[in-house]
Amino acid sequence: MVDPVELSRKYEGKIEIYPKIPITSYNDFALIYTPGVAEVSKAIYKDPDKSFELTSRWNTIAVVTDGTRVLGLGNIGPTAAMPVMEGKSLLFKYLGGVDAIPLPINVKSADEFANVVKALETSFGGINLEDIESPKCFYILEKLQSMLNIPVWHDDQQGTAAAILAGLINAMILTNKDPKESKVVFYGAGASNIAAARILAKYGFKYENIVMIDSKGPLYADREDVDHLMLHHKWKYELAIKTNKWEAKEIKDAFSGADAVVAASTPGPNVIKKEWISLMNKDAIVFALANPVPEIWPQDAKEAGAKIVATGRSDFPNQVNNSLIFPAIFRGVLDSRAKAITDEMTIAASEALAKYARDRGINENYIIPRMDEWEAFYEEAAAVASKAVEVGLARVKKSREEFREIAKERILRARKIMNLVISTWSP
Amino acid sequence: MVTIRRATKEDVKTLIDFFSRMYRLNSEFDPLLLTPENLEERINKVVEKSLEDQNEMIVVAEDQGRIVGAARVLIIDRIFYTPEKEALIREFYVHPSYRRQGVGNEIVNFIISELKERGIEILGAEFPSRNLIAISFYRKMGFREIYCEFIKKI
């Protein structure tokens, strides 16, 4: 395997910018820059929305982080976060045809973060927040969603939550379980699981049938630190109040009779014990999503009675990964020029992803498409764009079929250009 | 359906739990409000005395036999003002799963009606000045600030 540091040194980073207007003569300079460009600026000055037609804004997003919770590395700061943001930008282009600018910013407070991003709004068609510590990330997301007129998305929350929902939809169909009746345990109460609980509840699961487990055990309204949460982590507090109708106080009680467990906690193995899985209902569904080692090895979970196991890894069946979501979500919101990404749009992406797998035939080892099933991305993008039209957030209104064709064309174009660049130029 | 009533000896255990939670919550607002280790013990004494004392009142909100909110009120003299008596809510706690459902309002309204029967015309509430939730709650119920307590560690 190539050393990633050597790879980064060889290519001197992962992305670069190329112009797309041809320059064939000296006269072209007057068109692409001064004096001709002033006409374009004047048109946008008259109607700022024209910036989505006359500049690259329509397809450009920022991948913004403060570097406070980078991958599994923790708070390494914005400078060291850059390689991750560059990698993300590459995936955005390759999987979604989206021009993503990596933008680690050196800010301290959540409000400072929000103000910087607000100031960037005019240059971008969307904002992808990345690798921000919790609970700050919830505050920043909500604040920016209320301040900005372009979609703001936090991939560690919504992207992972949407992938979890997509996998769960099919896992529940295979095991003949009803979301409205099913007990779901969330093991870990970080950004993705908190967002997933909310998205699942919007989809049709019931809050009272959910149990969230954090490092202190199951959350319930009576727990000693609930008032502390009210002041310092209102998102967890809300869940403490709404979930866990059994008031399960021990992990074993939480797992007892559960239909599904979604673990997004710390790398395993044996973080989730086999004995807990054996307490779950028949045909239990286990999502052990910690990387690089899942909270429980799939084989162990199955031995303990799990019917379907998903992990975050590509070398096991059923990889639940936000890369299945974020490129398509942004393709969809950019194509519909949406003003926001709502939970409904997120759920539309999950449903499209789940349906794509169903159309190919789901089974215990295939509940969610693989990342190389490119066509899933067009379906998702089209579902997101048409949902944006339906909920009145789209500036461009087209049919789902039209959005699918647009997404396909743009994603394939990006991939073709990348292949051309790589095949004609290689250091 | 929540009902409000005066507390009895059977409620003491829950009252200790609720009021100690309230004091621990207070300590979140200011380091000068740190609670002692034997907080429960101290509250136990206060609550038991309070249930016997004519100048004190403890009320609870109950839902299907379960206590979901509680408040303790002291009746104090106003020697230099008229009217000469006022009531002061010193402890107030609503169970987290019953918040934002009007339980607090019902408790305060019950206290007011009990006080009126006793001819008391003024009701106050004491809480940390950084507790914005309490400020908003009492303001909405028509209370306003009257005293300031300044404090300095010496």
Side-chain angles (χ1 to χ4, degrees):
Chain A
M1 193 178 165
V2 183
D3 176 359
V5 176
E6 281 311 310
L7 187 75
S8 297
R9 196 189 312 282
K10 179 179 167 186
Y11 286 94
E12 298 174 305
K14 294 191 243 330
I15 58 166
E16 63 183 318
I17 290 176
Y18 282 108
K20 55 191 172 188
I21 289 192
I23 298 174
T24 52
S25 75
Y26 181 71
N27 291 339
D28 288 343
F29 290 106
L31 293 174
I32 58 168
Y33 202 55
T34 188
V37 72
E39 294 306 315
V40 187
S41 284
K42 277 195 267 181
I44 295 172
Y45 181 69
K46 268 192 222 156
D47 176 7
D49 263 4
K50 283 258 182 331
S51 71
F52 286 99
E53 292 168 25
L54 304 178
T55 74
S56 302
R57 187 182 180 190
W58 67 272
N59 199 44
T60 308
I61 66 163
V63 179
V64 193
T65 186
D66 59 359
T68 50
R69 199 185 187 286
V70 180
L71 291 176
L73 304 171
N75 190 347
I76 58 169
T79 311
M82 187 55 147
V84 184
M85 303 309 126
E86 276 199 319
K88 190 91 180 193
S89 296
L90 191 155
L91 291 180
F92 261 118
K93 185 74 171 179
Y94 189 68
L95 299 172
V98 173
D99 289 310
I101 308 292
L103 216 55
I105 55 176
N106 190 11
V107 291
K108 292 287 168 251
S109 74
D111 284 316
E112 197 187 348
F113 192 118
N115 289 335
V116 169
V117 177
K118 170 71 183 158
L120 296 169
E121 180 178 9
T122 51
S123 302
F124 296 101
I127 303 292
N128 181 83
L129 303 173
E130 198 73 34
D131 292 354
I132 305 164
E133 66 194 349
S134 170
K136 189 162 76 173
C137 64
F138 297 103
Y139 174 83
I140 289 173
L141 177 67
E142 284 179 15
K143 178 133 196 183
L144 283 172
Q145 283 178 329
S146 71
M147 288 162 81
L148 267 55
N149 236 343
I150 53 173
V152 187
W153 164 270
H154 180 207
D155 201 38
D156 305 299
Q157 291 181 52
Q158 297 147 291
T160 310
I164 288 168
L165 175 60
L168 262 187
I169 290 172
N170 285 343
M172 302 211 84
I173 289 171
L174 279 173
T175 51
N176 208 16
K177 292 177 190 284
D178 180 359
K180 287 190 196 71
E181 306 298 329
S182 296
K183 179 180 181 183
V184 182
V185 174
F186 282 94
Y187 192 86
S192 65
N193 265 1
I194 286 177
R198 189 188 76 236
I199 299 276
L200 256 61
K202 285 246 169 96
Y203 175 77
F205 290 82
K206 290 198 174 133
Y207 273 121
E208 62 256 39
N209 293 340
I210 288 173
V211 185
M212 303 286 306
I213 299 176
D214 69 2
S215 55
K216 292 186 180 135
L219 277 175
Y220 55 99
D222 224 23
R223 206 170 83 168
E224 199 60 43
D225 61 343
V226 159
D227 290 320
H228 174 83
L229 293 175
M230 177 177 72
L231 300 178
H232 301 287
H233 198 322
K234 70 170 182 164
W235 301 270
K236 227 175 180 182
Y237 171 73
E238 292 291 333
L239 287 171
I241 291 169
K242 289 179 185 166
T243 60
N244 196 353
K245 73 175 172 195
W246 308 271
E247 299 198 349
K249 296 178 175 62
E250 302 293 331
I251 292 176
K252 281 182 180 174
D253 300 332
F255 275 79
S256 182
D259 296 286
V261 56
V262 176
S265 56
T266 47
N270 307 324
V271 169
I272 288 186
K273 298 186 180 9
K274 280 174 86 170
E275 64 201 72
W276 299 344
I277 304 292
S278 62
L279 296 169
M280 294 174 71
N281 268 347
K282 190 172 175 287
D283 294 341
I285 299 162
V286 176
F287 285 14
L289 305 179
N291 275 318
V293 180
E295 287 87 345
I296 181 168
W297 290 115
Q299 192 53 40
D300 288 348
K302 289 213 165 179
E303 278 170 21
K307 176 89 169 167
I308 295 174
V309 184
T311 69
R313 281 167 57 140
S314 57
D315 54 347
F316 290 126
N318 302 325
Q319 186 192 16
V320 171
N321 186 296
N322 54 4
S323 301
L324 288 163
I325 299 287
F326 68 80
I329 279 267
F330 273 93
R331 185 70 274 144
V333 294
L334 290 171
D335 291 345
S336 58
R337 224 174 278 165
K339 293 176 187 165
I341 301 173
T342 63
D343 285 346
E344 291 74 22
M345 289 155 72
T346 307
I347 289 169
S350 305
E351 286 176 322
L353 196 61
K355 184 174 182 302
Y356 181 89
R358 279 203 303 282
D359 289 347
R360 259 136 213 85
I362 48 172
N363 61 59
E364 280 173 37
N365 293 321
Y366 181 73
I367 56 166
I368 193 163
R370 284 163 40 126
M371 268 177 61
D372 56 0
E373 292 182 278
W374 315 118
E375 287 175 357
F377 289 79
Y378 321 145
E379 293 299 332
E380 265 183 87
V384 170
S386 57
K387 182 58 81 176
V389 174
E390 193 185 313
V391 298
L393 287 168
R395 294 182 179 95
V396 171
K397 297 174 182 66
K398 293 183 189 298
S399 72
R400 188 158 169 159
E401 290 67 34
E402 286 172 307
F403 279 130
R404 184 185 299 112
E405 283 313 305
I406 290 170
K408 185 176 178 181
E409 187 188 312
R410 286 174 176 163
I411 293 172
L412 289 179
R413 177 182 177 275
R415 207 165 297 146
K416 196 172 164 186
I417 292 173
M418 268 183 76
N419 287 338
L420 274 172
V421 169
I422 290 158
S423 62
T424 56
W425 180 86
S426 192
Chain B
M1 176 68 185
V2 172
T3 52
I4 316 291
R5 60 168 173 80
R6 294 286 286 266
T8 67
K9 282 188 174 167
E10 282 71 51
D11 304 323
V12 168
K13 198 166 165 266
T14 311
L15 292 169
I16 294 168
D17 179 40
F18 277 24
F19 293 161
S20 57
R21 280 170 185 255
M22 185 211 86
Y23 280 109
R24 292 208 173 92
L25 176 62
N26 279 1
S27 69
E28 300 264 351
F29 294 107
D30 201 300
L32 283 178
L33 298 172
L34 276 185
T35 53
E37 281 203 358
N38 63 344
L39 177 64
E40 275 83 358
E41 206 178 299
R42 293 182 190 209
I43 289 173
N44 188 13
K45 276 187 196 157
V46 167
V47 165
E48 285 189 346
K49 179 187 159 288
S50 190
L51 288 170
E52 308 289 328
D53 193 327
Q54 286 300 306
N55 284 324
E56 298 191 20
M57 180 191 343
I58 302 182
V59 302
V60 293
E62 193 176 48
D63 181 31
Q64 296 169 2
R66 178 187 181 192
I67 294 176
V68 300
R72 186 173 76 107
V73 181
L74 315 179
I75 294 158
I76 49 179
D77 292 323
R78 305 171 87 229
I79 302 165
F80 307 109
Y81 303 108
T82 56
E84 288 180 7
K85 296 268 183 197
E86 79 171 69
L88 179 71
I89 299 172
R90 178 150 286 168
E91 286 88 13
F92 196 117
Y93 189 84
V94 175
H95 191 272
S97 56
Y98 282 81
R99 287 173 193 164
R100 289 177 291 185
Q101 294 169 34
V103 175
N105 288 33
E106 288 187 48
I107 291 174
V108 172
N109 287 334
F110 181 89
I111 291 169
I112 289 171
S113 66
E114 294 275 300
L115 292 172
K116 275 185 179 166
E117 276 181 24
R118 293 175 63 166
I120 292 168
E121 298 168 36
I122 291 176
L123 173 62
E126 185 183 280
F127 54 87
S129 52
R130 290 179 187 167
N131 184 347
L132 302 179
I133 300 167
I135 291 173
S136 160
F137 169 75
Y138 286 113
R139 284 228 167 102
K140 276 184 195 152
M141 290 218 70
F143 289 65
R144 64 176 174 81
E145 270 177 280
I146 178 164
Y147 300 114
C148 287
E149 182 178 331
F150 275 60
I151 199 158
K152 179 184 171 174
K153 196 164 185 179
I154 50 173

